[in-house]
Amino acid sequence: MSILLGVIADDFTGATDIANTLAKEGMRVVQTIGVPDSGALPEANAVVIALKSRTAPVQDAVDWSLGALEWLLGQGAQQIVFKYCSTFDSTPQGNIGPVADALQTRLGEKRTVICPAFPENGRIVKVGHLYVNGTPLHESPMRDHPLTPMWDSSLKALMGAQSQGTVGEVGLDVVRQGPAAISAAMAAIEDNYIAVDATTDDDLRTIGGALANSRLLSGGSGIATGLPQNYLDQGQLTSFSKPGLPAVVGRSLILSGSASVATQSQVAYAKARMPAIEVNLDRVAEQSGYIDEICDWVLGRDASDPVLVYGTSSGEVLRRNQEKYGVAKSGEMLENTLSQVASTLASEGFTRIVVAGGETSGAVVSALGIKTLQIRDEIAPGVPWCEVPGTPARAIALKSGNFGQESFFIDALEMLE
Ligand code: ADP
């Protein structure tokens, strides 16, 4: 198998997000959890490697990303996309900057596009600044993110703080002139990175057209919107319509470890409509049988009801947990709890699982031992149902914290009925 496009995604929800974009645009996509070790993958034109590198130690993130790059190059990938969040989730130390620098160096690339725009979810880039639903990134709820609180909205400032390289800009006026104008503007820029404005899907398609010959690109899932068309135009790709999900028999579980504003309203909505249990981190710390207790409680609910297990809380509880146990440790405690709950319940007939939170999804999918995912029906922009290959049929949806409407969890499960 020789693939056209390889994606290195810095978290698992981001990976399903970009895999979903590529699948919608006609590519056969497989998402792998980490670098595949051995064995044949299903036939694909694009492989998305999901890493849990967003908040890992910088050197780990770089090493894992370079490992993923080598594997993708070994499969014949002509283009590589480094996928990060459309809210540029990172700190002044990384990991977007150091990973992008390392990928650039390995590929011998001089200039790489930076384009986190995802207009369908309210994230746009204008005059080099990232906005979330009209608010500058660092004034949006992302300023309070538990792991990557965002401190600026200028891509030049954000990337400048964490990369060895310099950042130039291509404005919307140029983008609207078409692919040739973008290519000419990019060629005239000496900087290592080029932040490109985009406020609509049409802009992303135009930018995609200008990047047909770029070996390395970086951005949110939106940067992939226009790429499949290049392969279709070049006769390298025959458009493929993904199949829908097979019937998935079994119980339904929602695991929420995101503290994001959208997830808070989704948890409140779901709690009023299904059995739900909150994870208490003090009990995680103090009581060895606590996770079993949660699982027993879930197993005791009516088998026809979905069940919600959540750590999503008010900002007050989050801050108290972080002060008491530390930011990284408290996050890990919740991720580990939800992962253990997932693996116990998966062996008890829970075959339909929705996870909210990027880091949380990484922890849960790893604990479940899932190696590959196939993208199926879209639940909300950026969030597809995924089929876990094998029997019995299993479905999992990985939702980035801020994605989805209030009724997301219920809507997702209704799609399986
Ligand atoms: P998102 O997609 O919203 O960024 P993530 O799962 O990536 O969600 O990140 C949220 C992080 O915050 C996780 O590490 C999670 O364990 C942690 N977290 C969420 N709620 C709490 C809480 N109440 N106390 C401590 N940590 C929390």
Side-chain angles (χ1 to χ4, degrees), residues 61-86:
V62 167
D63 292 345
W64 299 340
S65 304
L66 288 173
L69 175 62
E70 287 315 322
W71 188 89
L72 291 166
L73 293 176
Q75 304 300 308
Q78 301 172 13
Q79 268 190 315
I80 302 292
V81 177
F82 170 34
K83 158 71 175 73
Y84 38 77
C85 189
S86 52

Side-chain angles (χ1 to χ4, degrees), residues 11 13 52 54-55 85 89 142 145-148 256-261 263 278-279 281 311-314 317-322 325-336 338 356-362 399-403:
D11 88 337
T13 50
K52 196 174 183 304
R54 182 169 296 171
T55 59
C85 189
D89 298 18
M142 281 306 294
H145 190 277
L147 305 177
T148 51
S256 181
S258 161
S260 299
V261 174
T263 306
E278 180 172 4
V279 176
L281 287 198
T312 305
S313 63
S314 64
V317 175
L318 172 68
R319 272 187 294 282
R320 199 200 65 93
N321 286 339
Q322 292 188 328
Y325 301 107
V327 173
K329 179 73 188 159
S330 59
E332 212 175 282
M333 285 162 71
L334 180 56
E335 290 176 32
N336 287 343
L338 294 175
E359 296 294 328
T360 311
S361 294
K399 187 193 81 76
S400 175
N402 268 320
F403 285 4

